[in-house]
Each structure stands twice: as C-alpha cells, then as structure tokens.
C-alpha cells in the first residue's frame, strides 16, 4: 500500500476515533439530561438507583460510541472510492487498492503515480452547512443536559401549574403562521427548517398538559429558530472580525447595520405583509446606506500623493482581511463581496507608481467600493429579511400563546429601531418613552384623548388605535386592498414621527 494512502487512512482513522468519542460523550449528556428532566418533571426520586442509572448511561454511551466507530472507521476499499469520487481521480485509488499485492511493472508504476497524486491532495474545507450539521448533536445534547440540570424539581411542591388545552383560535393562527413562512422569500433550507419547527410545535400542542409545558415548547421552538437564522446570517461574524482600527470598525458596523436594515425606520411588524414591504424597501435602502458607509473610508484621500495613497490602501486591505477567519464559506454572498473588494483594492495599490495619476487611482478606488456596494446589497438584504422574519415569528408566537419571550440577541453596534410588534420580540426603547413594548416615537407632539380627557403623546395614541385597527383587519371585515392601504398609512404616520424625533 502506498505511503500517502496510509497517511490519509490514519487521518481518517483518527477522525473516526475522535468522532466516536465525542458522540459517546454527547450521548451520555443527552441520556443524563433526559433522565434528570424526566425525574424533575415527574417528581420522581431515584435515591440510590442513581448509581445503577449512571452505570447504565456509561455502558450505553460506550456502546453507542463503539457502534459509531464500526460504522465510520475507514476501510481500504471504501476510503479509496471516497477519494476517487471526492477528488475526481477516476478510480485510480481503487485500482491501486485492488492490485496492491501485484508486482507487475505496469501495476507498480500505477501505484507510484497514484501515490504521488495522493501526496498533492489537500483536505477540503468544511462548508457552513456541514459545520451546522456536525454541531447539531453536540448542541442538542448540551441543551438537553443543561435543561435537565437547570429545570427545578417538582418533588415536594404542590401542583399549581394550570392545565393547558389548545384553543381553536391558536390552532388556526398557528396554521396561518406556518403558511406565511412557507410563502415567504426565505431561502429554501432556512424556510424548511423554520417550517419543521413550527409544524412540530403545532402537532405537539396536545401533548403539553400544562401551561408551563406549553410555554417551554414555545420558548424552545423560538430558540431553535433563532439559532437557524443566526447560522444563516454571516454579517455578524464577518464584520465582527474587523475591529483593528476605528475607521474599519466604523465601516464594519455600517455594513452590520445593513444586515438589520429593517430596524432603521422604527416601523413595527404588524402583519406578514409589512415584512414584505420592508424587504422591498431594503433593496434600495441598503445600497444607499452602504454608499454612505464606504464614502467615509476614503474621506480626505484626494489630498494624498502616490506614496500616501499606496500606504493607506495597503493598511486598509490589511484591516479588511480578518473577515476571512470568520469561518464562512467563500460561496457566502457577503464573504464573496469582501473578497472581491480586497482584490480590487489590491489591484489599485499595485498600480501606484506605474504612471497613473492620483485622480485616476482614486476613481479606481471608488469603483472598487461601488462594486462592493453592488455585490453586498443583495446578501445583506436577504439577511435583514431572515432576521425580520424571525422577529415576526417571535412576535406572532408570543401573541398567540400569550407568553413572554426573551429578547432577540443582537450583535454589538446594531442600532435599535424598536421594530418588533409584540411583547415577545424586542424590548429596545426609543426616544419617546414606554408603552407595552411597542415602538413609541420620540415625537413630543400631543393630542387630546377623550377616554382619559387629557392630552397624551401623539405616538402613544397612534399605537393604541393601531392595535385596534390591526385586530379589525385580522377579523376579515374589510378587503385585502383596503387593509394594505390602512397599514401603509399607519406606517407613514409612524415614520414621520420618528423623523421628527431625530431632528
């Protein structure tokens, strides 16, 4: 057998051993968490039986790890076929393995050439989707273990948890939410994942015997959806790597905020149509925002001579470059946009001192940033849509089941716009005050409110009437066309107040 093939086989064997050991640990955490959770929720005390349970978990985990090793351990023929197919070697490795005992000259020559080919192979990079799939088992196992460890035991406590029985209205609204997600513009993989979570939540409602069990199911579903969206959005990870200087940090924060563009206008997500309207606005709004962000990077460069321009270009390229260590695949749209920007600026830097004028080089630099705006806008718009859909789903679930959800975690630097529309989506405050976690503009204008016979902030009244109008629209008493006109009008009123507050 060739030396390089044996090296590859040893690497695969090591990977199989590590994977089996990790799986055994994950299986042990999963079993332990499940046992802890079951005992706490049923108020069962194991006493000395914990020793037997621990031994059983250890044996089962070891068996599970051993079984996985038997399934994934590298066999010569299987590994040869994998290498041939993975690197397009045309059955060279399989031929070498099949005739490894032969001493014929042509076979020996074939083995030597194949060995040389194997020596030039480089490990393939793990795609983001593969990394996510590999992380599923550890994440779920750790989540189950932490859940079992954190959930308080019911042993000795009086049963005070009220029973839960899903209402027809909840089932109808859940069905509608699932249909809206299926009809959304999300990419198919993310759309499918969110749909499965919501369908599982709907089908499991009858299994939730108590109110707390229902709330736990809703919270767990929201956490899974948050995780899917976070894994699909590359902006926080890519932009988070660029912070070596103040100027590149400002640039990165500007790009990051473009991935949360839907929050910039402060208009709430009252229905799924508002999600689509905000997405449509982002297709023009994000390029405009990116142009302002990129313009700040080159302010004052028109005063540079050739040497100063090259120095600044070189430094800027170095400040941008850390995005590559974020761990996202080159096929990611935003990653590709940064990569193209880095290459384009490098080309401009190489032209310095070769007879080109500073004016021409500055024009080339502007073209590089213009191309970045064009390349980055579409993926940033989609990432904004992903998170916006997540917030809409959160707000809808919170409203359907009347549960209080933890606020959606946002990266540092993201501007708050209070665009969530219910008690479960967002707790960011705006300049105008408080009000059922709805967006309140910073406008100080007041209006007479008859029920209380006094003047109240304009936006506070708008929010109350907006709620009533939204409920009226959902009842189906008016046509879809009229409902859309009313929603657009309310959006305009809210946006005007926000603009006045920012003056």
């Amino acid at each position: 057998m060739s030396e390089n093939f044996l090296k590859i086989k040893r690497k695969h064997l090591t990977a199989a051993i590590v994977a089996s050991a990790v799986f055994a640990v994950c299986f042990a955490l999963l079993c332990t968490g499940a046992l802890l959770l079951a005992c706490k929720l049923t108020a069962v005390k194991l006493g000395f039986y914990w020793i037997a349970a621990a031994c059983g978990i250890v044996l089962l985990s070891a068996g599970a790890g051993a079984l996985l090793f038997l399934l994934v351990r590298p066999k010569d023929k299987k590994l040869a076929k994998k290498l041939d197919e993975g690197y397009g070697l045309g059955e060279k490795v399989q031929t070498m393995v099949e005739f490894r005992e032969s001493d014929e000259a042509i076979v020996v020559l074939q083995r030597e050439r194949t060995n040389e080919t194997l020596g030039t192979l480089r490990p393939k990079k793990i795609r983001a989707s593969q990394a996510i799939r590999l992380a599923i088992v550890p994440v779920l196992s750790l989540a189950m273990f932490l859940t079992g460890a954190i959930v308080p035991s019911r042993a000795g406590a009086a049963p005070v948890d009220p029973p839960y029985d899903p209402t027809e209205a909840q089932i109808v609204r859940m069905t509608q939410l699932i249909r809206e997600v299926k009809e959304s513009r999300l990419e198919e993989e993310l759309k499918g994942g969110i749909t499965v979570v919501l369908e599982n939540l709907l089908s499991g409602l009858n299994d939730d015997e108590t109110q707390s069990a229902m709330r736990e199911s809703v919270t767990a579903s929201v956490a899974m959806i948050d995780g899917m969206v976070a894994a699909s959005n590359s902006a926080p990870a890519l932009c988070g790597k660029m912070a070596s200087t103040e100027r590149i940090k400002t640039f990165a924060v500007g790009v990051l905020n473009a991935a949360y563009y839907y929050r910039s206008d402060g208009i709430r997500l009252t229905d799924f149509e508002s999600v689509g309207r905000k997405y449509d606005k982002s297709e023009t709004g994000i390029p405009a925002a990116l142009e302002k962000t990129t313009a700040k990077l080159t302010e004052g460069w028109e005063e540079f001579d050739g040497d100063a321009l090259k120095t600044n270009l070189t430094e800027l390229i170095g400040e941008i470059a850390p995005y590559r260590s974020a761990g996202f695949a080159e096929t990611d749209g935003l990653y590709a946009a940064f990569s193209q920007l880095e290459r384009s600026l490098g080309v401009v830097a190489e032209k310095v001192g070769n007879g080109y004028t500073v004016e021409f080089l500055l024009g080339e630099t502007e073209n590089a940033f213009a191309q970045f705006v064009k390349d980055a806008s579409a993926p940033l718009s989609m990432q904004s849509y992903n998170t916006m859909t997540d917030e809409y789903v959160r707000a809808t679930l919170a409203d359907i089941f009347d549960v209080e959800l933890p606020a959606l975690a946002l990266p540092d630097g993201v501007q708050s716009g209070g665009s969530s529309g219910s008690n479960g989506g967002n707790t960011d405050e705006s300049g105008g005050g408080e009000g059922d976690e709805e967006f309140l503009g910073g406008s100080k204008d007041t209006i007479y409110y008859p029920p209380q016979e006094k003047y109240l902030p304009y936006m506070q009244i708008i929010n109350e009437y907006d709620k009533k109008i939204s409920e009226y629209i959902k009842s189906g008493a008016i046509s879809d066309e009229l409902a859309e006109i009313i929603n657009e009008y309310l959006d305009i009123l809210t946006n005007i107040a926000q603009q006045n507050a920012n003056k």
Side-chain angles (χ1 to χ4, degrees), residues 229-230 232-242 252 255-257 259-260 326 328 334 380 383 387 409-412 414:
V229 172
S232 299
N233 289 355
S234 60
L238 294 173
C239 296
K241 293 293 182 179
M242 293 182 285
V255 176
L256 177 62
N257 274 283
Y260 293 85
F328 275 83
L334 185 57
L380 286 171
Q383 292 185 34
T387 312
L410 298 174
D412 293 338
V414 174

Side-chain angles (χ1 to χ4, degrees), residues 164-183:
Y164 171 71
D165 186 24
T167 65
E168 183 178 351
Q170 289 176 329
I171 295 174
V172 169
R173 293 190 64 189
M174 275 296 298
T175 304
Q176 178 184 353
L177 177 61
I178 292 171
R179 183 174 66 254
E180 289 173 337
V181 172
K182 288 182 177 179
E183 295 173 354

Side-chain angles (χ1 to χ4, degrees), residues 453-467:
E453 298 183 350
K454 63 180 180 180
Y455 285 87
L456 293 176
Y458 164 74
M459 283 305 298
Q460 183 175 334
I461 306 303
I462 286 295
N463 279 333
E464 179 172 340
Y465 283 112
D466 189 11
K467 286 181 181 178

Side-chain angles (χ1 to χ4, degrees), residues 360-419:
F360 174 82
L361 295 172
L362 288 175
E364 291 290 285
T365 303
E366 291 179 1
N367 292 338
F369 282 115
Q371 185 63 43
F372 170 77
V373 170
K374 182 178 179 181
D375 295 340
S377 293
L380 286 171
S381 183
M382 179 53 64
Q383 292 185 34
S384 176
Y385 183 78
N386 292 345
T387 312
M388 179 166 45
T389 303
D390 184 13
E391 286 215 30
Y392 172 75
V393 170
R394 287 170 131 264
T396 305
L397 290 177
D399 188 43
I400 291 174
F401 298 102
D402 192 24
V403 298
E404 184 176 352
L405 298 171
L408 180 65
L410 298 174
D412 293 338
V414 174
Q415 297 176 0
S416 62
S419 58

